[in-house]
Amino acid sequence: MPLTLKNDELLDLMKDFYTLTGIRFVLFDECYQEILAYPEAGTPFCSFMRKNADFDRCCRESDRIAFETCRGTKELTVYECHAGLIEATAPLTENGTIIGYIMFGQIADKGGKDAFLARLCDYCRNFTDEDTLRALTPKIRYKEKKQVSAAAKILDACTGYILLKEMVSPSRQKLFEELDAYVSGHLSENLTMESLCRIFGISRTRLYEAIKPYAHDGIALWIKGKRLEAAKRYLAETDMSISEISEAVGFADYTYFLRVFRKVTGISPKAYRKEHHS
């Protein structure tokens, strides 16, 4: 679902989190795409290593697994990435639907530093040389376990604050555009509020809010209007029979279609075709 961001407020929060914890804060959309972060660049170790296509692929897969876990539980998830670095992700949930994720990571456990470095270097030899590792590993940031736990709790608390202040919210305009395109392409189907909510993964309230500025009389009348506009185009531009057009635009009852068309346009479909067919 497309998102609308209050970038300045969100960046201020990310900067405050970084000032307090020294850990990078990242926002992802529901499709797991990074859309905002502070600091903008990752840590020196991860930024360099991700230049390697295979290492970057492992990073993306590690993130995907974490997001999938988070999506399933709808709760904060703390884990180790494929390289053994500690990360955490928390879902941004509106009306029971996940609209994005916030994450921190690229840090290591200070208490197990020596064992971690040994595992990391052994693993990363698959992706780079010893000299590079010796230059990069001193730049890794370490935290005590209690610091990681505290940062994770703050990250989780940030989800509620972000949503309360509407720093991140679904884009009504973009959602409407997607909804309009979907309905236009599926007029022959049984389109209901319930089916559209299920298809777009949103609540009735969110669907109503998205369409309200563009359909003042409600979604049912809006869909009916789109069906009739499509019927007019078919009548004017094709040689389809009127019964075929009725079915194509979603009126299963042919008699009802004739009645509604006349009520809205003032004339019958046959008369409309006679006036407008080219």
Side-chain angles (χ1 to χ4, degrees):
M1 186 185 304
L3 297 177
T4 296
L5 308 182
K6 293 182 179 178
N7 280 42
D8 291 343
E9 293 182 28
L10 192 54
L11 276 172
D12 282 344
L13 178 65
M14 290 178 163
K15 289 176 183 178
D16 289 340
F17 182 88
Y18 183 76
T19 299
L20 183 66
T21 66
I23 305 174
R24 186 172 185 250
F25 188 124
V26 189
L27 169 68
F28 291 82
D29 65 18
E30 64 171 335
C31 297
Y32 316 150
Q33 299 300 309
E34 181 177 320
I35 54 179
L36 193 67
Y38 187 86
E40 185 175 347
T43 61
F45 175 82
C46 292
S47 294
F48 182 86
M49 290 301 298
R50 292 192 72 160
K51 293 177 182 178
N52 178 288
D54 292 332
F55 191 91
D56 182 65
R57 194 157 39 246
C58 291
C59 287
R60 293 181 184 278
E61 177 62 12
S62 179
D63 288 346
R64 186 194 64 78
I65 293 170
F67 289 134
E68 290 291 342
T69 301
C70 196
R71 179 182 289 276
T73 63
K74 293 187 177 179
E75 295 180 353
L76 172 76
T77 301
V78 182
Y79 61 98
E80 288 186 0
C81 75
H82 68 105
L85 292 164
I86 300 171
E87 300 189 328
T89 185
L92 294 169
T93 306
E94 182 170 287
N95 296 319
T97 300
I98 292 178
I99 62 172
Y101 302 86
I102 53 175
M103 174 189 278
F104 74 64
Q106 303 180 349
I107 57 175
D109 178 13
K110 189 174 183 179
K113 182 176 179 178
D114 292 339
F116 162 75
L117 279 175
R119 293 194 306 272
L120 179 70
C121 290
D122 185 58
Y123 177 71
C124 288
R125 288 188 186 98
N126 298 311
F127 306 100
T128 192
D129 58 78
E130 293 285 349
D131 290 340
T132 300
L133 285 175
R134 278 194 291 270
L136 287 175
T137 50
K139 299 177 181 180
I140 294 173
R141 191 180 295 270
Y142 294 88
K143 296 290 180 183
E144 301 283 357
K145 285 186 177 179
K146 62 182 180 181
Q147 292 176 307
V148 175
S149 177
K153 290 178 181 178
I154 294 171
L155 183 80
D156 201 24
C158 284
T159 61
Y161 184 73
I162 287 169
L163 294 170
L164 177 66
K165 297 295 185 179
E166 296 184 336
M167 296 180 190
V168 176
S169 59
S171 171
R172 291 183 177 89
Q173 181 179 350
K174 290 182 179 178
L175 176 57
F176 176 78
E177 290 172 357
E178 291 184 359
L179 180 66
D180 184 66
Y182 181 86
V183 170
S184 296
H186 296 79
L187 287 175
S188 63
E189 300 174 14
N190 182 28
L191 299 170
T192 64
M193 176 78 82
E194 291 73 19
S195 66
L196 291 173
C197 287
R198 183 177 64 256
I199 290 164
F200 283 85
I202 57 177
S203 67
R204 291 173 65 93
T205 299
R206 173 55 61 193
L207 182 62
Y208 175 76
E209 289 176 350
I211 199 172
K212 186 178 179 180
Y214 311 95
H216 304 291
D217 296 324
I219 192 165
L221 288 177
W222 174 69
I223 292 174
K224 184 183 290 185
K226 289 185 70 64
R227 294 189 196 279
L228 290 173
E229 288 303 313
K232 290 178 184 178
R233 290 195 298 273
Y234 282 129
L235 289 166
E237 299 170 8
T238 76
D239 293 321
M240 293 169 63
S241 70
I242 295 175
S243 62
E244 287 175 335
I245 291 172
S246 171
E247 186 175 347
V249 300
F251 286 93
D253 186 329
Y254 176 64
T255 303
Y256 178 65
F257 167 67
L258 297 178
R259 187 167 65 250
V260 170
F261 192 93
R262 181 183 288 275
K263 181 178 179 180
V264 172
T265 66
I267 58 176
S268 69
K270 184 176 181 180
Y272 185 91
R273 167 167 274 172
K274 186 175 181 179
E275 289 183 9
H276 296 87
H277 192 270
S278 57

